[in-house]
Amino acid sequence: HGAEIIDYKIILVDQERVYTLASTLKDFDETLQAKMNAAIDEDGDGDITLEEMKKAMQREEIQEAVQNICDDRDAELIERLQPRAHLVLDAASFPNPRLLSHFFGGLSGGIDLALAVRARNDKGFSDWCVPLDGLCTPSTVPEKCLPLVLLEATPTTFLCQYRLPFNSGELITSMEFLWCRVVGAMERHLALGGQVEFGRDEKADQDGQGTWELPVPGPEIALPGCLGGPGEGMIFGLQPGTEYDVQVRAVNMKGSGEYSQKVRMISLAGKPDRPLNLRHANKTSSARPPAVQQMLGGAAASGSRQGTLHWFRLACTVAAGAACSPHGLLLPHGPTPRARGCVRGRRRQVRAGQASAAAVANTGHRRLLPSAAMSPLPPHAE
């Protein structure tokens, strides 16, 4: 109409707003025109005369009032529609003014869309065009999942909760999980000088993956930009007291979506492994507790045969003729024949409890008080 177009305003909506866009824009245009007429109509008769239009075009306060009305109505429209995209394109940015095009990126798959445009020149805005609806993006893989939530942990399993993402036009059929071992009790055990059983391969279970099939009926389907219903799944084959990084992704007929962010989970502690390196001790070892060395009175040097015999004689004497009391352990001064037999290598079973108190009283004894190295033996001890 004789003035160059300055820019174009575009609104792109999705979901249920596609079906209400036409009626919403029609109501917007009618309300906006009524408010603009009220600002221009100075006499308030509801009829805009040519003289009033000329004054409105010349007086800045009227033009400012009309501009404020347009800005307020635009803000109300955006709040009401919640468009997927709302932008203003400069007319000078198009290489060909007769071929106007724009690329919309970042859209989800499998959603319905509708589009509307209006133009502006220095005289004002046009009405909104008839919306272009019936648009739908092609279906694709599901959107990215939220991180898993740990519901329950045992030494070898995790019970996790997931939320369905938007399926991008194809129903989600399963959820794939991935776990990676970070550090655990075995690393701490080895760092402290511990050992593991020969041939045990601790690197066999450093990571793993699996699938949770969705039940029928499954969790509630997610809308675009929203989350669906929750579901649960178990992860097996873990190690006790170990930290894992766990991720999940959704799968539909188009493929697998993007993995969620990693979340750190820790399994509960478990029972210990069986002891290792059990072997027969060297009977000629000279290692003796301090209390035993005191009982021997330092009669023999450490490691000598005589000192070893004294050690065996003392042990056999305790087994053969010792008597227990609440105040200590009574030991004979010298080894008995049975004790000497034990030293020579004969295997005999003797019972200290068979010696009566009178028999013990008729022999020479010395009292050995209890110590941290040797506790009093009970009367029935062998």
Side-chain angles (χ1 to χ4, degrees), residues 314-323 332 335-339 342 350-355 382:
L314 175 62
C316 294
T317 301
V318 172
T336 64
R338 285 187 177 182
C342 290
V350 294
R351 296 180 180 271
Q354 295 176 355
E382 295 184 356

Side-chain angles (χ1 to χ4, degrees), residues 265-283:
M265 298 183 184
I266 305 177
S267 58
L268 298 184
K271 63 181 182 180
D273 292 340
R274 61 183 182 182
L276 302 175
N277 298 333
L278 186 64
R279 61 187 184 276
H280 191 281
N282 186 0
K283 69 178 183 178

Side-chain angles (χ1 to χ4, degrees), residues 226-238:
C226 303
L227 291 175
E232 297 180 0
M234 292 287 294
I235 300 178
F236 299 93
L238 308 178

Side-chain angles (χ1 to χ4, degrees), residues 2 14 43 58 71 81 96 121 136 163 197 218 220 224 240 256-257 263 275 282 287 325 365:
D14 59 3
D43 54 14
Q58 296 173 357
D71 293 342
L81 289 177
N96 187 354
N121 61 12
C136 183
R163 297 289 298 272
E197 190 171 355
E220 181 184 359
S256 302
V263 59
N282 186 0
S325 72
H365 290 80

Side-chain angles (χ1 to χ4, degrees), residues 94-377:
F94 296 101
N96 187 354
R98 296 184 179 274
L99 183 60
L100 310 179
S101 62
H102 180 73
F103 176 79
F104 292 92
L107 301 177
S108 301
I111 60 174
D112 295 327
L113 298 169
L115 181 73
V117 185
R118 75 175 180 180
R120 182 179 72 92
N121 61 12
D122 59 359
K123 302 302 179 180
F125 289 99
S126 70
D127 291 340
W128 287 97
C129 72
V130 177
L132 176 63
D133 54 13
L135 304 176
C136 183
T137 58
S139 58
T140 182
V141 299
E143 293 185 349
K144 185 177 180 179
C145 294
L146 284 182
L148 288 170
V149 177
L150 178 62
L151 299 180
E152 183 181 355
T154 70
T156 58
T157 63
F158 288 146
L159 175 60
C160 304
Q161 183 187 74
Y162 57 84
R163 297 289 298 272
L164 287 186
F166 178 57
N167 57 29
S168 298
E170 293 285 347
L171 291 179
I172 296 175
T173 57
S174 61
M175 305 291 289
E176 293 181 348
F177 63 87
L178 173 68
W179 57 263
C180 179
R181 190 175 189 275
V182 180
V183 66
M186 185 60 65
E187 283 81 1
R188 293 188 287 270
H189 171 70
L190 296 176
L192 294 175
Q195 298 180 356
V196 295
E197 190 171 355
F198 178 76
R200 181 172 177 177
D201 187 7
E202 290 300 327
K203 297 183 179 180
D205 297 325
Q206 292 299 312
D207 52 46
Q209 58 184 1
T211 301
W212 298 321
E213 297 293 338
L214 263 63
V216 179
E220 181 184 359
I221 298 176
L223 297 176
C226 303
L227 291 175
E232 297 180 0
M234 292 287 294
I235 300 178
F236 299 93
L238 308 178
Q239 294 177 332
T242 305
E243 299 180 14
Y244 295 91
D245 283 338
V246 188
Q247 298 173 275
V248 67
R249 65 181 178 182
V251 181
N252 64 9
M253 295 299 295
K254 295 295 182 178
S256 302
E258 184 181 356
Y259 272 115
S260 66
Q261 294 181 354
K262 295 180 180 180
V263 59
R264 185 67 54 88
M265 298 183 184
I266 305 177
S267 58
L268 298 184
K271 63 181 182 180
D273 292 340
R274 61 183 182 182
L276 302 175
N277 298 333
L278 186 64
R279 61 187 184 276
H280 191 281
N282 186 0
K283 69 178 183 178
T284 61
S285 174
S286 61
R288 295 175 296 195
V292 176
Q293 179 67 29
Q294 182 180 1
M295 287 185 289
L296 297 177
S302 175
S304 65
R305 176 173 178 79
Q306 187 65 24
T308 303
L309 292 178
H310 272 289
W311 165 244
F312 275 93
R313 288 174 181 174
L314 175 62
C316 294
T317 301
V318 172
C324 297
S325 72
H327 305 289
L329 183 67
L330 298 177
L331 300 177
H333 283 295
T336 64
R338 285 187 177 182
R340 294 190 184 94
C342 290
V343 173
R344 297 188 187 99
R346 303 174 191 156
R347 295 183 178 180
R348 298 181 181 180
Q349 184 178 12
V350 294
R351 296 180 180 271
Q354 295 176 355
S356 63
V360 172
N362 293 332
T363 60
H365 290 80
R366 54 176 174 165
R367 185 180 301 275
L368 175 65
L369 295 179
S371 65
M374 181 177 292
S375 302
L377 296 176

